[in-house]
Amino acid sequence: MTKRQKLELTWIGKDARPKLEPRILLEDPNKSYHAKHRVGEADLFDNRLIFGDNLLALKALEQEFTGKVKCVFIDPPYNTGSAFTHYEDGLEHSIWLGLMRDRLEVIRRLMSDDGSLWITIDDNEAHYLKVLCDEIFGRANFVANVVWQKKYSVSSDAKGIPSSHDHILVFSKTGGMTRNLLPRSEKQNDLYKYDDKDGRGPWRTDNLSVKTISQAYLYEITNPNTGVAYYPPTGRAWMTSKDRMLNLIDEHRVFFGRDGKGAPQLKRYLAEVQQGVVPTTWWPFDEVGHNDESRKEHWVVNKDYNAEMLAAVICKLEGFTYAPSDTHYWQHGHSTETDFIYVTTQTLNADQLQALSDEVGGEKSLLVCCSAFKVDAKRALSTLANLTLKKIPKMVLTKCEWGHEDYSLKVENLPMQQQSAAAPVPSKRAASANAAQTAQDGLFGGEKQV
């Protein structure tokens, strides 16, 4: 019997390793911040955001964190040949493998025995990376290849067989990784739609038979309401013994249909099922998101801005001076003496836009920025000639907390929705250039938090 050989991935320059000089981490007080004190025992004050070459950063962490890191996620360059702002994504294949090897070896040393590594990658390097990880972590420590559906549609002019997924390679250090359950969704819980009001809570029907054939579990179940006997389907058996089944019937845990005259079914109670969902290797976009959503993600996490700030930002983006009028609700800013801008978070229909156009008049023009509008294009060109319609960018709109009662940019201010023709009471807004700059900073100038 021949000795089993160790399979390795080889490439040009594999034996060439960088000579890393020792590095230490220096804190920049100007970039450090945290709460003034701990609120609870579980509060963490040891998060770190490290700027610099990731290999050197990993080496700097080795002395303090070797064997302590429970979960590592990396998103390396996919090596697709593209050029990005912060890194080159078109390295020679052998160079890319060398760079990944050096980092993965340090990561493995940092990981705890029950730790896991998660790597996002696409088909360009995924299979070579899998073999490389097999060599470093051992094939026995491969956990899963998760397939993430990164696209929800494919362009009609796509060539060949277009890719709609990425890979997430998952490895453990020693095989001791513990898999957690995912939270149950409302959709899953909504399946339990029946409730007998007996204190057991909601339930749904389930199959009483199983595939395993056992002669002891091949018996008849008699509907107590009709006297009709039922046997398990061909090739199946009942899920439990006859004595246990009779107990389930006595405990009203077997369902015989809404009218009590049907075949037996099990009552599966929500309180008795596993309170979590076993994760699988298929991650559809409707559950975990897709690339298009990530491109629209905004850097800002500051939620203190309001509707006035949004108006100021849109004015700046569109080249208008932010200057809310005290007499005309639709004048949030101007570019000339006769050209104005109006910002609202509402969806405007044709009648509302017509009322707005009538109030603006024929000697002025108005740029209307709203979340959406419903108007025929032909009508917009003819009767709404003094209005220009634009949708507020989704990347701005989705980051605002709309729906508060004190917002003053609501469509209720339109003339057609008021009791009289009097102008609405203006809100108190700062009209200076400083206010516009403050709003701009509030929306787009915040530091990204981690």
Side-chain angles (χ1 to χ4, degrees), residues 352-369:
Q352 292 165 339
L353 289 169
Q354 187 62 62
L356 187 59
S357 175
D358 293 342
E359 179 158 334
V360 171
E363 297 180 358
K364 300 181 181 69
S365 58
L366 181 67
L367 171 60
V368 180
C369 298

Side-chain angles (χ1 to χ4, degrees), residues 13-293:
K14 181 178 182 179
D15 295 330
R17 293 180 176 269
K19 297 180 180 180
L20 300 177
E21 67 275 19
R23 292 293 178 106
I24 60 175
L25 299 176
L26 299 177
E27 181 180 1
D28 185 349
N30 294 324
K31 296 180 179 178
S32 297
Y33 59 94
H34 54 68
K36 294 181 180 179
H37 59 84
R38 285 181 170 85
V39 177
E41 292 296 327
D43 293 345
L44 299 177
F45 272 58
D46 54 0
N47 293 324
R48 300 184 186 183
L49 179 62
I50 303 174
F51 294 88
D53 181 272
N54 52 30
L55 180 58
L56 295 177
L58 289 169
K59 289 292 293 183
L61 293 172
E62 263 194 305
Q63 185 174 7
E64 183 179 359
F65 291 102
T66 291
K68 297 180 180 180
V69 179
K70 191 168 184 178
C71 182
V72 178
F73 169 80
I74 60 175
D75 183 19
Y78 285 10
N79 209 26
T80 60
S82 304
F84 292 92
T85 303
H86 300 292
Y87 63 83
E88 180 64 41
D89 196 29
L91 298 174
E92 167 65 36
H93 176 64
S94 60
I95 296 176
W96 186 89
L97 287 172
L99 294 175
M100 290 302 302
R101 184 269 319 274
D102 298 335
R103 286 153 176 81
L104 289 171
E105 288 181 342
V106 180
I107 288 173
R108 186 184 183 279
R109 291 194 290 271
L110 290 172
M111 289 168 57
S112 61
D113 288 342
D114 61 347
S116 61
L117 169 65
W118 305 66
I119 314 174
T120 55
I121 201 73
D122 70 0
D123 282 329
N124 199 59
E125 293 285 7
H127 309 288
Y128 292 95
L129 181 60
K130 166 63 167 63
V131 177
L132 179 60
C133 288
D134 284 343
E135 180 179 333
I136 296 172
F137 290 86
R139 289 191 68 181
N141 292 320
F142 170 68
V143 177
N145 174 23
V146 176
V147 179
W148 167 48
Q149 188 183 16
K150 65 180 179 181
K151 294 181 179 179
Y152 59 90
S153 64
V154 178
S155 58
S156 57
D157 59 349
K159 306 298 182 183
I161 302 178
S163 174
S164 62
H165 72 278
D166 274 354
H167 303 269
I168 304 176
L169 299 180
V170 186
F171 277 83
S172 67
K173 183 176 182 178
T174 63
M177 185 192 90
T178 300
R179 180 259 293 154
N180 295 324
L181 297 176
L182 300 173
R184 294 182 62 88
S185 67
E186 290 186 12
K187 182 178 180 181
Q188 291 167 327
N189 289 340
D190 287 344
L191 295 174
Y192 296 79
K193 56 185 177 180
Y194 305 110
D195 195 336
D196 296 333
K197 306 300 181 183
D198 56 2
R200 294 172 179 166
W203 56 273
R204 68 175 178 87
T205 58
D206 203 351
N207 202 335
L208 272 174
S209 67
V210 292
K211 290 182 179 180
T212 303
I213 299 296
S214 171
Q215 292 299 320
Y217 290 177
L218 293 174
Y219 52 86
E220 64 180 30
I221 296 178
T222 302
N223 185 324
N225 303 309
T226 63
V228 177
Y230 294 91
Y231 292 87
T234 302
R236 300 176 70 91
W238 296 126
M239 62 181 292
T240 189
S241 66
K242 187 172 183 178
D243 289 342
R244 175 58 182 152
M245 186 66 71
L246 292 176
N247 288 335
L248 291 176
I249 295 174
D250 290 340
E251 294 170 0
H252 303 288
R253 289 175 173 263
V254 176
F255 182 61
F256 290 96
R258 289 175 180 261
D259 58 1
K261 300 179 180 180
Q265 295 174 285
L266 177 68
K267 290 184 179 180
R268 181 76 68 183
Y269 289 90
L270 177 59
E272 297 175 352
V273 300
Q274 183 172 254
Q275 294 305 301
V277 180
V278 175
T280 70
T281 57
W282 169 240
W283 291 6
F285 71 84
D286 55 350
E287 293 183 7
V288 299
H290 46 76
N291 267 345
D292 191 46
E293 286 180 338

